Amino acid sequence: SSPSKKQSDEDKSKRAAFHYRLGIDALHKGMLPKAFEELMLADSIAPKQAETLDAIAYAWRVRGNNKEAKKYYKQAIKAGGSSATSNNYGSLLVELGEYKEAVKHLHIALEDPRYRSQALAFTNLGDALVGLEDLEGSVSAYRKAHMLSPKWADPQLREAEAYVHFDRPNYAQALYETILRREPTNQLALVGLIKVVKTTGETDVLNMYIKAFIEKTP
């Protein structure tokens, strides 16, 4: 290609990157219209950039339009989207109840050992497997997530919810108690325990955790 064409391509990609950064910044600040404006501009200057398409998909999801989000995630994956894109798309598919397809994309995200949010991908995988009524698979995924990110309570909370879903209230209670021993102020775990105790009837245990919650909550 001629030097002038090369120069113009470079200028284009610099301009697109500039608007992409502005769009991401607006997204972080919750300024959705501005985010759309900048990201769509970046997409028109340099089309078929996986990062830009992924960000537009996310913006649509924040706006509550999952149909548009799905369309842009598909384009981002086609444009060579990263493991993060596969994970994001997998998470959207779980929300849409398309569990089999979700499992496929979450496995793609987990195949990359460099991907930093593996705990999140394993948690999403657990959710997809609950949707497919696979207790063993979901528990295994949640436990891998917990192993990768022991300080993050989400995988264990989801595992406890899975036990409730599969009618194993005693397992759920044991796990909620495990979380509350570690984090006495974890409100989600306490709410979960309250619901489960209605089935197991162990109100003394519950009162102990409620007391600890009240004492330790500022």
Side-chain angles (χ1 to χ4, degrees), residues 115-126:
Y115 179 45
R116 291 186 179 178
S117 299
Q118 296 223 342
L120 183 59
F122 271 120
T123 304
N124 289 332
L125 180 62

Side-chain angles (χ1 to χ4, degrees), residues 13-201:
S13 87
K14 271 183 191 160
R15 262 172 53 226
F18 172 69
H19 289 290
Y20 167 76
R21 283 197 301 275
L22 288 178
I24 292 292
D25 188 49
L27 256 184
H28 288 315
K29 289 177 178 158
M31 298 155 62
L32 262 187
K34 172 83 174 149
F36 272 114
E37 190 185 324
E38 295 295 346
L39 291 168
M40 284 173 165
L41 188 54
D43 186 44
S44 67
I45 297 167
K48 295 190 177 137
Q49 300 299 310
E51 267 188 345
T52 308
L53 295 164
D54 181 292
I56 295 172
Y58 178 73
W60 276 117
R61 198 174 173 185
V62 172
R63 202 178 156 200
N65 188 331
N66 286 342
K67 203 175 148 194
E68 281 297 310
K70 186 176 178 182
K71 188 178 95 183
Y72 276 97
Y73 276 133
K74 277 181 152 172
Q75 288 179 27
I77 285 164
K78 210 173 162 184
S82 64
S83 303
T85 302
S86 294
N87 185 23
N88 295 339
Y89 185 40
S91 143
L92 175 71
L93 290 168
V94 170
E95 206 180 302
L96 294 171
E98 296 177 35
Y99 304 118
K100 265 196 175 143
E101 191 64 15
V103 167
K104 193 177 99 183
H105 287 282
L106 293 165
H107 277 305
I108 293 169
L110 289 163
E111 272 164 21
D112 182 0
R114 297 160 305 174
Y115 179 45
R116 291 186 179 178
S117 299
Q118 296 223 342
L120 183 59
F122 271 120
T123 304
N124 289 332
L125 180 62
D127 292 351
L129 292 168
V130 169
L132 291 171
E133 299 297 325
D134 176 358
L135 173 62
E136 239 173 274
S138 66
V139 167
S140 160
Y142 291 135
R143 286 187 180 170
K144 282 176 186 157
H146 176 63
M147 209 172 66
L148 289 165
S149 194
K151 287 198 174 111
W152 185 43
D154 229 37
Q156 284 191 314
L157 286 165
R158 298 289 242 284
E159 187 186 332
E161 279 169 32
Y163 288 133
V164 173
H165 175 81
F166 290 104
D167 205 21
R168 308 275 174 94
N170 294 340
Y171 284 88
Q173 179 172 332
L175 200 47
Y176 284 132
E177 288 189 49
T178 301
I179 298 167
L180 286 164
R181 276 197 296 274
R182 190 177 66 233
E183 293 175 54
T185 57
N186 189 312
Q187 205 172 342
L188 291 171
L190 188 63
V191 169
L193 185 61
I194 290 168
K195 285 181 187 164
V196 167
V197 165
K198 285 178 184 166
T199 312
T200 63

